[in-house]
Amino acid sequence: MKAKRSIKALRSVCVVTLMMLLTAQACQAQTYRTERLRQIAAALSLRLPTDLKSEADLGTVANRGGKEIYATTNAYGEVSHIGYRLFAPELVAHYQNEPLFHFIERYLLELDLRIDGKTADVRMDVDQVVFTRGTTAILRTLTPTTNFSFDMEEIRNRFYRLTWTFGSENKDVSLVIPANCQLIIGANAVELEQMAVRDIQRAVAMSRKDILERWAEAKGFRGEHALVLDGGAYMSRYIRGDLYVSEAEGRNHPICTSSQPMQSVSNLMLTGIADKEFPLALTMNRYGGKRDQLNVTLSQYIAFCLAEGCKLYFGVKKQTDTELTGALFAYNQRFAYTHLLDVTFPLSLLSGQSGERIRCMAYVYIPTKLLDDRLFTQDFSRVEQ
């Protein structure tokens, strides 16, 4: 009898082990945007199709405690979101901040699954996510059809305060979320850098119309050398988003000529718009002294930044007869980070010569609060207008 029980127990262990292996293989067969999403999929034993379409809502992929869990993919066909289905698409579209709403849906699921082994209270204390009114249990009852009024307050570079009012004081919820890109995206600094390396290389150049949309309503003023479309400043009056244009046939054309190098290079670094592609010799400076060498184009790097919702600003440091040095800042206000690109631009490229590349050093996902003020106050000079 003991031998039979032992064989039965062994079979049970084997079945459980096999199930775990199959689940792990199913998760590995998919491409997940982050390691956190892969962990969530494994915890839920998700088995998604292998031929995922890009920009797709995969529908309900699991159910936990009576709550639907859904998943979506991004432009690259990666699983980019897994979470409770809480918000109507119309609400998300109105506030134009999908990553924040996705974070709430994913974060509540993470708390329930205890992905990192921590209780909900401990995890929220570490993340500095605070309920000033209400609880996770109330928020978890939301569905896309729930009737409530909603308010979102953004304290720039610091936090979001979101408030749901249900008509009953006992059900109202107020939640404070730090404007922290690592928290909201669900990836640490090292993984964010790895994601940037991936995304820059597969970014697709945006259309001229979409890029110039930023200056559609910009105030224009006449400078000594060009019409200037005011694009604002970032941290310094010399680090600007201004576009220098010439007027022809009733249209504004970004200046790109060897006779006006400062304006031309500034325009190129903000837009990438030109009659040809400008190649980059891009070095990614990563944690631990690691560096990646990427051969991409300027328009790819710009597309990467704009796709994340960053605004671009360029500052000129120095110009010689042969090159111009400066820095491109891609600032994401919503999640308080900046991509910094140190630039050395060979001026021969403006004359149509080939064989050289724009030499760049990139530092990505820098929390705005960690940027040294001296970075914005030294070495930059005024672009002639």
Side-chain angles (χ1 to χ4, degrees), residues 128-257:
Q128 297 181 342
V129 175
V130 179
F131 280 91
T132 58
R133 191 161 71 245
T135 63
T136 56
I138 297 174
L139 196 57
R140 202 182 292 109
T141 64
L142 285 177
T143 72
T145 60
T146 302
N147 185 25
F148 60 84
S149 60
F150 177 76
D151 180 67
M152 182 168 69
E153 178 186 9
E154 179 183 355
I155 308 301
R156 191 171 65 175
N157 292 330
R158 294 185 61 195
F159 61 84
Y160 289 90
R161 182 182 290 110
L162 300 92
T163 302
W164 292 263
T165 303
F166 297 91
S168 168
E169 291 186 2
N170 294 328
K171 287 189 65 178
D172 292 350
V173 174
S174 186
L175 178 63
V176 175
I177 301 171
N180 181 321
C181 63
Q182 295 184 32
L183 172 68
I184 291 170
I185 296 173
N188 62 26
V190 173
E191 187 177 6
L192 285 176
E193 289 175 337
Q194 294 169 345
M195 291 163 60
V197 169
R198 231 169 34 230
D199 291 348
I200 292 170
Q201 294 182 94
R202 60 187 179 179
V204 178
M206 298 176 65
S207 71
R208 175 191 179 100
K209 179 181 177 181
D210 288 341
I211 291 172
L212 294 181
E213 184 67 27
R214 174 182 174 185
W215 292 274
E217 304 296 329
K219 180 181 178 180
F221 61 91
R222 179 66 61 181
E224 294 182 22
H225 304 280
L227 175 66
V228 184
L229 301 182
D230 188 351
Y234 179 54
M235 299 292 194
S236 164
R237 58 179 176 159
Y238 295 136
I239 301 172
R240 303 197 56 83
D242 296 340
L243 192 68
Y244 303 90
V245 301
S246 60
E247 299 171 284
E249 300 177 355
R251 295 180 60 191
N252 292 328
H253 299 268
I255 290 171
C256 185
T257 172

Side-chain angles (χ1 to χ4, degrees), residues 294-309:
L294 309 182
N295 291 318
V296 295
T297 64
L298 177 58
S299 58
Q300 280 182 286
Y301 183 82
I302 290 172
F304 159 72
C305 296
L306 295 182
E308 293 195 334

Side-chain angles (χ1 to χ4, degrees), residues 335-354:
F335 306 128
Y337 68 82
T338 296
H339 301 315
L340 169 61
L341 190 71
D342 280 330
V343 176
T344 300
F345 193 107
L347 295 181
S348 61
L349 292 173
L350 296 177
S351 302
Q353 297 183 30
S354 59

Side-chain angles (χ1 to χ4, degrees), residues 13 16 29 32 37 69 124 168 183 290 324 329 360 364:
V13 171
V16 171
Y32 291 88
L37 289 171
I69 297 170
M124 291 176 66
S168 168
L183 172 68
K290 296 180 180 179
L324 182 147
F329 297 84
C360 303
V364 296

